[in-house]
Amino acid sequence: MKKLTKAEEDIMQVFWAIGPATVSRVIAELGSPKPPHSTISSIVRILEGKGFLDHKAYGRTYEYRPIVDKRDYTRLTLKKLVKGYFDGSVNNLVSFLVEENDLSIKDIARLVDQNNQPDK
């Protein structure tokens, strides 16, 4: 799976949130100022070329849909982050988060408890 640029990832976030959509619908979901239609259209075509989107044609209108699951991309991105910045160690990541006060011991305990509960 290829890495996404910031702009590509922003567009994929929209698709993951709303599902199949036209370029115009994606633009409507973006914040202000609205980017040009041609810019978003180009990014969408790049995403299709990278294998993240597919399309269905309705006459001259294309509806695009995500074909890469957000969870799969998140997993890959997190693995790259851990490998690149934390020597491949999740423990180093958690230690960093605790040291930076982004995660408390209570938060860790709560996460462990949630992950040890049987599925509902």
Side-chain angles (χ1 to χ4, degrees), residues 7-15 26 30 40 43-44 47:
E8 292 166 351
E9 192 171 324
D10 289 346
I11 300 303
M12 280 307 299
Q13 291 291 351
V14 173
F15 279 105
V26 170
L30 297 173
I40 301 306
I43 293 170
V44 166
L47 287 166

Side-chain angles (χ1 to χ4, degrees), residues 6 24 30 38 41 56-57 66 68 81:
K6 174 72 170 116
S24 295
L30 297 173
S38 60
S41 183
K56 192 181 269 189
V68 170
L81 175 79

Side-chain angles (χ1 to χ4, degrees), residues 4-5 22 27 41 51 55 64 87 92 119:
L4 299 178
T5 66
T22 62
I27 293 169
S41 183
H55 77 271
Y64 295 89
D87 300 321
N92 289 349
D119 292 335

Side-chain angles (χ1 to χ4, degrees), residues 30-95:
L30 297 173
S32 292
K34 300 291 185 197
H37 190 279
S38 60
T39 300
I40 301 306
S41 183
S42 294
I43 293 170
V44 166
R45 284 193 306 276
I46 291 167
L47 287 166
E48 188 173 23
K50 286 184 171 184
F52 281 82
L53 296 174
D54 196 6
H55 77 271
K56 192 181 269 189
Y58 297 98
R60 291 176 28 145
T61 301
Y62 282 29
E63 180 183 64
Y64 295 89
R65 66 178 178 83
I67 56 176
V68 170
D69 185 67
K70 181 179 182 179
R71 188 172 179 92
D72 292 339
Y73 187 73
T74 301
R75 185 179 301 112
L76 175 73
T77 303
L78 187 55
K79 282 181 182 180
K80 285 182 179 180
L81 175 79
V82 170
K83 183 178 179 184
Y85 291 94
F86 300 100
D87 300 321
S89 170
V90 174
N91 289 339
N92 289 349
L93 168 64
V94 173
S95 293

Side-chain angles (χ1 to χ4, degrees), residues 98 103-111:
V98 170
L103 189 66
S104 70
I105 300 301
K106 282 184 180 179
D107 293 334
I108 294 170
R110 190 172 27 252
L111 288 169

